[in-house]
Amino acid sequence: MSRATPRKARHTRNPSNLIPAVSDYESDAAAMQASYAPPPPRTNTELNLSVLQRYLPSIQGILSIAANAVIYTFDSSSESWDKSGIEGTLFVCAQSPAPEDASHHPRACVFVLNRRGLDNLVVDLARVSHVEIAGELVILRVEAGWEEGDKVLGIWIHNDKDETREINGAMIQESWKAVQSVGASGQGQEAGPAMQAIGRRLSLSDLFGKQNGAAAGH
C-alpha cells in the first residue's frame, strides 16, 4: 500500500494593496505636527523690553543699555558718595504718555535692574532738576517731597565696551533735556536727538551722527 503524501501547509498572504487603517488619534497628531510652526526667535532687546514691562508697563522702548552700573547717593553732611546697594544692568527707556496727560507729553526714565536685591531703581527724568556728567559719574538731582528734600544720585557706568559710558551718559542727558523741554513749554519742540528717540526707535549712530554734524557746523 502506498502512503498518503502529507499536504504542505498553505501560506496566507496579505494582499499588497491593503494598508492598515490609521486611527483618528494618529491622523490628528500627524496633522498637528504638519501645521505646527515654532515661534520666531526674539532678539535680546525684545527680551529685555518684556522684562522691563513687567515692572513698568509704560515702557515702550529701550534707548540705550549698559551691562553694569553702580548707584551712589551723595551725603551732604559728610560731602561724600555712599553706595546705595543698587547695582546691575542700566536701561535708558522711552515711556508712553501718562493716561491723565491730555497733551500726550513724552516721558523717559532710567531703570536699573538690581542684581544685589529686590529693589530696582527707577528715575523719572521729569522729576530730575539737573543732570551733570562729572568724570566717571552721571549726577542726577532728583526732586522729592518738600519734607524729604532733593536727592542727589551718582551713576557709575562700567565701560565694558568702547564709548559705553559716553553713549549712556549722553542718552540720559539728552532724554532729560527732551522731557524737560516738553514739560516746560508744552509745545513739543525739539531739544535734541533724544526728542525724536522718545516715542520711536533711534539708533545710537543716529544720535552721535547728528551730534558730530552739529559740532562740525560750529
Side-chain angles (χ1 to χ4, degrees):
M1 295 178 61
S2 60
R3 295 181 180 179
T5 304
R7 295 182 179 180
K8 295 182 179 180
R10 294 183 179 180
H11 295 282
T12 57
R13 297 182 179 180
N14 291 327
S16 59
N17 60 343
L18 292 181
I19 300 175
V22 179
S23 67
D24 291 340
Y25 173 80
E26 292 173 340
S27 60
D28 291 343
M32 290 177 62
Q33 291 179 357
S35 61
Y36 173 75
R42 294 197 292 177
T43 64
N44 288 336
T45 300
E46 291 172 335
L47 291 172
N48 287 328
L49 183 59
S50 65
V51 171
L52 294 175
Q53 287 174 335
R54 294 175 191 171
Y55 296 101
L56 200 59
S58 63
I59 292 177
Q60 63 178 11
I62 298 173
L63 304 177
S64 64
I65 301 175
N68 188 52
V70 182
I71 306 302
Y72 292 84
T73 57
F74 185 73
D75 186 346
S76 57
S77 59
S78 62
E79 296 188 351
S80 62
W81 291 99
D82 300 324
K83 278 191 174 182
S84 66
I86 297 176
E87 178 180 347
T89 306
L90 176 143
F91 302 88
V92 184
C93 304
Q95 296 173 264
S96 57
E100 66 276 7
D101 182 9
S103 300
H104 301 289
H105 292 152
R107 297 186 296 161
C109 68
V110 176
F111 196 116
V112 178
L113 277 173
N114 188 16
R115 66 170 60 100
R116 292 188 174 273
L118 299 177
D119 296 329
N120 299 316
L121 175 73
V122 182
V123 179
D124 182 357
L125 291 178
R127 296 185 57 191
V128 174
S129 60
H130 182 72
V131 176
E132 180 182 349
I133 299 177
E136 296 184 351
L137 283 181
V138 180
I139 301 174
L140 309 178
R141 181 180 292 276
V142 184
E143 297 175 350
W146 64 272
E147 292 181 350
E148 301 175 2
D150 292 353
K151 179 182 292 186
V152 179
L153 301 178
I155 304 176
W156 180 86
I157 299 172
H158 178 57
N159 208 25
D160 58 338
K161 296 180 180 179
D162 293 341
E163 300 181 342
T164 296
R165 184 178 295 140
E166 180 183 353
I167 288 171
N168 283 274
M171 185 60 77
I172 291 172
Q173 200 166 42
E174 286 296 323
S175 299
W176 170 72
K177 289 179 181 178
V179 171
Q180 292 294 319
S181 175
V182 173
S185 66
Q187 301 297 321
Q189 63 187 25
E190 292 191 6
M195 174 65 70
Q196 302 171 18
I198 297 175
R200 73 171 182 86
R201 290 187 178 181
L202 180 69
S203 68
L204 297 177
S205 59
D206 288 340
L207 172 65
F208 285 95
K210 291 181 180 180
Q211 288 182 339
N212 293 336
H218 291 291

